[in-house]
Amino acid sequence: SQQGEEDPQALSIQEGENATMNCSYKTSINNLQWYRQNSGRGLVHLILIRSNEREKHSGRLRVTLDTSKKSSSLLITASRAADTASYFCATEQAQAGTALIFGKGTTLSVSS
Amino acid sequence: DTGVSQNPRHKITKRGQNVTFRCDPISEHNRLYWYRQTLGQGPEFLTYFQNEAQLEKSRLLSDRFSAERPKGSFSTLEIQRTEQGDSAMYLCASEGDKGPHYGYTFGSGTRLTVV
């Protein structure tokens, strides 16, 4: 089963623009993580935000978490062609198990 | 240790054959996960090991699937009597103790095609 739901499914922007992806989830969580996947490759961990945190930054990435709305957003500023990839949110549920549950992802295309 | 290693990278097999995949996690990571990913979807959890103990199994893991991690190091995932619906990317990930919150480290996956 998949917990997270990313929005939009696909996003196309020009280099230098900002990209915002959203993630909604269903159950209480311990933390939420964002991963990037280049075509046909494994996933790369980008950033983790705990349930008691509201915002986190890492380089050009900014993640927000609103536990009351069960939603998160990932902002990539000043995008580059190399940011072209699929982006997934993943949640560690508070009640059940320890494995991350992934959403279906947002496919980002950055053109130069 | 350069990361999580998965072998083979690609596997094409005929329907009904058995296949086995191997995952070598980061050596100091005690948690190991198997996921399956089909085109256009996110990874779906299959099973999880802490050291050599298999602690969780998804309902996706039918009785044709079995996973082992005999010495708490590498892991194998076997699929018996493969079906076309088993065609997918099989991803392995490992995780250390939850200190610095680095998340999972994924391997590059094994792409299975059942013909």
Side-chain angles (χ1 to χ4, degrees):
Chain A
S1 64
Q2 292 185 305
Q3 149 97 303
E5 194 80 31
E6 284 93 339
D7 169 57
Q9 286 188 322
L11 181 60
S12 293
I13 59 174
Q14 298 285 320
E15 257 191 332
E17 294 180 337
N18 295 343
T20 300
M21 289 160 261
N22 303 297
C23 167
S24 59
Y25 57 91
K26 297 172 186 171
T27 62
S28 296
I29 61 171
N30 292 328
N31 64 68
L32 185 145
Q33 304 179 30
W34 286 90
Y35 287 78
R36 185 184 75 200
Q37 184 178 37
N38 289 88
S39 181
R41 307 291 295 183
L43 286 81
V44 175
H45 179 258
L46 296 176
I47 195 165
L48 179 152
I49 187 164
R50 301 184 201 186
S51 60
N52 62 354
E53 297 176 314
R54 292 296 166 257
E55 188 169 314
K56 208 158 180 183
H57 297 253
S58 176
R60 293 184 296 113
L61 305 180
R62 173 178 166 250
V63 169
T64 62
L65 179 65
D66 186 335
T67 52
S68 67
K69 294 181 180 177
K70 291 188 169 59
S71 68
S72 172
S73 68
L74 171 68
L75 169 68
I76 304 174
T77 59
S79 62
R80 305 166 182 168
D83 294 328
T84 295
S86 292
Y87 292 82
F88 296 90
C89 70
T91 53
E92 182 183 293
Q93 296 179 69
Q95 297 298 323
T98 58
L100 291 178
I101 307 297
F102 286 81
K104 293 184 179 181
T106 292
T107 300
L108 174 66
S109 178
V110 182
S111 52
S112 53
Chain B
D1 210 319
T2 56
V4 177
S5 175
Q6 290 189 247
N7 288 288
R9 288 294 310 278
H10 302 275
K11 178 71 178 178
I12 300 174
T13 191
K14 291 184 179 178
R15 191 161 46 101
Q17 298 292 306
N18 299 344
V19 293
T20 301
F21 311 140
R22 177 178 169 126
C23 171
D24 288 90
I26 292 174
S27 57
E28 60 266 29
H29 284 184
N30 56 6
R31 297 184 184 87
L32 186 148
Y33 302 83
W34 284 100
Y35 283 79
R36 182 176 72 184
Q37 186 179 24
T38 53
L39 199 62
Q41 301 293 314
E44 295 176 298
F45 169 68
L46 292 177
T47 190
Y48 152 59
F49 290 86
Q50 178 144 338
N51 300 311
E52 65 275 9
Q54 188 173 19
L55 296 185
E56 269 184 73
K57 285 198 288 188
S58 160
R59 285 173 294 177
L60 292 175
L61 213 68
S62 76
D63 56 6
R64 295 185 299 104
F65 287 69
S66 62
E68 293 183 342
R69 194 183 182 196
K71 297 180 181 178
S73 56
F74 73 91
S75 176
T76 57
L77 177 68
E78 181 183 18
I79 308 174
Q80 296 183 325
R81 305 181 302 281
T82 51
E83 301 172 356
Q84 287 189 319
D86 297 331
S87 295
M89 176 80 90
Y90 289 84
L91 294 163
C92 174
S94 69
E95 183 189 31
D97 287 335
K98 296 187 189 223
H101 291 277
Y102 291 133
Y104 290 9
T105 301
F106 277 87
S108 295
T110 294
R111 182 168 296 283
L112 173 67
T113 303
V114 182
V115 297

